[in-house]
Amino acid sequence: MRTSLVFVVACVLVSTALHCAPPPVGTLELTSRKPKVVDDGETIELAVRAAASDGKIGTGTVSLTSKAGVLGTSTITLDEFGTGRTTFSCAILDDPACVGPISIEASWKGATAELTVRVVERCPGGKLCDGVCARISSDWFNCGACGVQCGKTQACLSGSCQPCPSGDCDSDGWTPAEGDCCDQFDECSKPASVNAGAIEEQGNRLDDNCNGLLDAADPSDGLACDDGLASRTNIALEYARAIGLCSTTTESARTWGVISAELLLANGEPLPLMSGATSIRPVFGTIRPPEGNRLVVMSTGGASDAVQVNPTNSEGGSRPSVSFVDCADGGRSTCLDDWFYASNPPLKEPGKLPTAPNCGSAASQDSAQDSVMLRLRIRAPTNTSSFKIKTRFFSDEYPRFVCSPFNDQMVLLIDTPGAVVGNPSDKNLMTYSDPAADGGGSWPVGINLAAGTPLFQTCSQAPACTMPPINSGSCGQGTAELALTQFAPTSDGGCSNGGTRWMTTRGNVKPGAIFELRAAVWDVGDSAFDSLVLIDDFKWSVDAGVSGTGDE
């Protein structure tokens, strides 16, 4: 944020005397690369720049004041470039005024500038107690106020210490009789995160999942489970295993894992058994799995590279065109019409495909050609708040049809019934956001990524292949990883075909709750050229994060 004022001569006639304002002094700027600060005392840098009205570099000192918080210095001596720097911090424990926007003002020889810094809470919905975020309505160590600790057989309920309800002292939904090995706060440091529904978190010195083993002695929750999976399988649960989701559970059980899995078309119909649209592979061309020994391949053509079989690359043409508005289940639970009609401005309008910056208006096509979808129903571990998964996207449409109506799409939709946990309003996690990219904003995962981001890295570096609208930072990895695939360069050195590097997608979940994922890819406009995705390396995280897709 930057503000500056230029002072000009102003004269008025009062009685018989002419009174003039001071002569022009120049300009003053006050800026910060990070115009927000966390209320735990985080420090940010402020910068000033002064120039005289005749364009000469400003000299002398700049005075600073703030309505709250602490300035590194209230007087900055300008250097030979007319610039200077200091710091600003705001700690709510030291200054109760460290809330909301804080105005910082600078003055120099009559010129002034103002910068507004937004103070954000480190503990939204909670309170900072001795350097730790605490929810004083339920925190056993800080019940109702910082430092108020409940008794051994008490729980913190609505901010007061009360007898444990139903034998569940840590209020995690599990009692000792149900497998909670740490129900009271004198038994371990994080009892609410320890129970039979949790996943083992390495390095925290806790038996998170209550199986009698700690940390490195209990690697079972992190072990790969994809050895021996057949490449051509119609068992949808095996695709979950291939990406790293090894545990299974049921609707009625309370442990975490995959409840069910389905292979479908975009309208919710079952995927034809011999479609060739999916496979589980130990390698794709020369690209190996980032986790375990297998990865998932989903394609609008055949789910294989140029030399693999079961299926081959030529076996992907047996799928009908389907419509988003004609769901087979009629209830918007397995098809994609809930996403198609959703709004997520400015990226997504209702009833249209997402818009990519620099690529014109959105398409209203409601049909999916050669679609394929993997639907997973999962219960999250009780001590996790998010997950991440890795993907790569390849297309025959690149680069000829970038910013055209033939923008083949991939989506990863997340449904978290009854829980608002910070995911996109249209449910689609396959949205790449980068304010520094061409045009800024957000980008749907598809070939139009190449127009504004450098994510398409596996492609030809020839100048004719990276002309606008292709991003100038594209194709840094060249075409080596396309070897042995159907996306390899043609013998005449043409520009066709390319793919992204590995992307990491994150989504938020409610601990211990059931959610659903739908990963789908389809051809847009026609079925003439194919697109393909690789999926692997699903991992849980105890912390919530920013949902969406970014670099690896």
Side-chain angles (χ1 to χ4, degrees):
M1 182 174 182
R2 174 176 297 176
T3 58
S4 62
L5 294 175
V6 180
F7 282 79
V8 298
V9 176
C11 299
V12 296
L13 184 63
V14 180
S15 299
T16 59
L18 188 64
H19 293 266
C20 297
V25 294
T27 61
L28 176 63
E29 299 175 355
L30 173 61
T31 62
S32 176
R33 289 182 177 272
K34 187 179 180 183
K36 66 179 180 179
V37 63
V38 181
D39 66 358
D40 62 354
E42 179 191 18
T43 298
I44 62 173
E45 187 177 71
L46 307 178
V48 295
R49 180 187 299 273
S53 59
D54 59 3
K56 292 183 179 180
I57 292 173
T59 60
T61 60
V62 176
S63 297
L64 294 174
T65 59
S66 66
K67 295 182 179 181
V70 178
L71 291 163
T73 179
S74 59
T75 303
I76 301 175
T77 301
L78 297 173
D79 59 20
E80 65 270 28
F81 304 106
T83 63
R85 299 180 185 277
T86 189
T87 59
F88 174 76
S89 63
C90 217
I92 188 70
L93 292 181
D94 300 326
D95 186 349
C98 286
V99 178
I102 302 295
S103 175
I104 303 173
E105 297 179 348
S107 62
W108 171 75
K109 296 184 178 180
T112 62
E114 182 179 3
L115 174 69
T116 298
V117 175
R118 184 166 59 92
V119 180
V120 296
E121 295 181 74
R122 175 182 169 182
C123 303
K127 190 171 184 179
L128 191 64
C129 295
D130 196 23
V132 176
C133 288
R135 294 191 178 274
I136 60 175
S137 62
S138 59
D139 192 302
W140 190 83
F141 293 98
N142 303 280
C143 188
C146 292
V148 177
Q149 182 173 308
C150 293
K152 179 178 179 180
T153 59
Q154 292 180 315
C156 182
L157 304 174
S158 301
S160 65
C161 295
Q162 302 177 30
C164 296
S166 304
D168 183 13
C169 283
D170 56 9
S171 302
D172 65 355
W174 292 75
T175 66
E178 295 169 327
D180 192 344
C181 59
C182 177
D183 191 58
Q184 297 177 357
F185 285 82
D186 62 342
E187 295 176 334
C188 68
S189 59
K190 296 181 178 179
S193 299
V194 175
N195 53 61
I199 192 171
E200 187 67 18
E201 181 187 357
Q202 296 295 319
N204 66 355
R205 303 180 68 179
L206 293 173
D207 180 15
D208 303 274
N209 56 11
C210 293
N211 67 351
L213 301 173
L214 297 180
D215 297 342
D218 184 14
S220 58
D221 285 339
L223 293 177
C225 57
D226 53 6
D227 276 339
L229 296 178
S231 61
R232 185 173 206 151
T233 176
N234 294 313
I235 302 173
L237 279 173
E238 293 190 351
Y239 290 85
R241 291 175 57 192
I243 65 175
L245 278 166
C246 298
S247 295
T248 58
T249 187
T250 64
E251 289 282 345
S252 58
R254 299 169 63 196
T255 52
W256 71 272
V258 180
I259 297 170
S260 63
E262 295 178 279
L263 294 171
L264 305 167
L265 299 175
N267 69 340
E269 291 181 15
L271 185 71
L273 290 179
M274 299 302 291
S275 68
T278 61
S279 68
I280 296 173
R281 303 289 187 181
V283 66
F284 179 75
T286 61
I287 301 170
R288 298 196 172 276
E291 177 272 338
N293 300 301
R294 297 290 189 278
L295 50 74
V296 167
V297 184
M298 296 170 57
S299 177
T300 64
S304 72
D305 60 24
V307 298
Q308 291 168 331
V309 296
N310 292 323
T312 66
N313 179 243
S314 62
E315 292 184 58
S318 59
R319 279 161 283 170
S321 172
V322 297
S323 172
F324 298 128
V325 300
D326 184 20
C327 289
D329 65 359
R332 298 190 178 189
S333 62
T334 58
C335 66
L336 299 181
D337 71 335
D338 54 339
W339 165 78
F340 185 67
Y341 287 115
S343 174
N344 186 16
L347 178 71
K348 174 89 173 57
E349 297 180 37
K352 293 185 178 181
L353 299 180
T355 303
N358 294 354
C359 279
S361 59
S364 58
Q365 304 176 60
D366 63 8
S367 62
Q369 312 285 334
D370 292 336
S371 63
V372 57
M373 175 164 60
L374 172 64
R375 175 178 175 261
L376 301 174
R377 185 169 174 83
I378 306 165
R379 178 179 285 106
T382 57
N383 59 339
T384 61
S385 295
S386 66
F387 66 87
K388 61 181 179 180
I389 190 170
K390 291 182 179 178
T391 59
R392 293 186 73 165
F393 180 87
F394 297 84
S395 184
D396 283 329
E397 306 275 8
Y398 175 90
R400 291 168 292 176
F401 297 101
V402 173
C403 287
S404 79
F406 306 103
N407 176 31
D408 292 357
Q409 295 278 304
M410 179 190 180
V411 298
L412 179 62
L413 308 184
I414 183 168
D415 287 275
T416 55
V420 179
V421 289
N423 292 319
S425 59
D426 65 349
K427 307 180 183 181
N428 185 19
L429 300 175
M430 294 303 296
T431 301
Y432 177 81
S433 296
D434 183 4
D438 294 349
S442 299
W443 299 78
V445 172
I447 64 166
N448 287 353
L449 275 173
T453 77
L455 285 179
F456 264 77
Q457 283 293 299
T458 309
C459 40
S460 173
Q461 297 172 317
C465 305
T466 55
M467 296 177 63
I470 307 301
N471 180 274
S472 60
S474 300
C475 305
Q477 296 176 2
T479 59
E481 286 190 316
L482 299 179
L484 303 180
T485 78
Q486 61 272 41
F487 304 105
T490 55
S491 58
D492 60 3
C495 297
S496 60
N497 311 335
T500 70
R501 55 185 177 232
W502 282 108
M503 302 176 287
T504 297
T505 298
R506 291 175 171 83
N508 293 321
V509 299
K510 181 180 179 180
I514 293 174
F515 69 99
E516 291 190 0
L517 292 177
R518 287 170 287 169
V521 61
W522 67 94
D523 287 336
V524 176
D526 61 26
S527 58
F529 296 95
D530 295 328
S531 294
L532 176 148
V533 297
L534 308 179
I535 309 175
D536 198 27
D537 199 14
F538 185 103
K539 283 186 170 59
W540 297 105
S541 175
V542 298
D543 299 314
V546 178
S547 61
T549 297
D551 294 320
E552 182 179 4

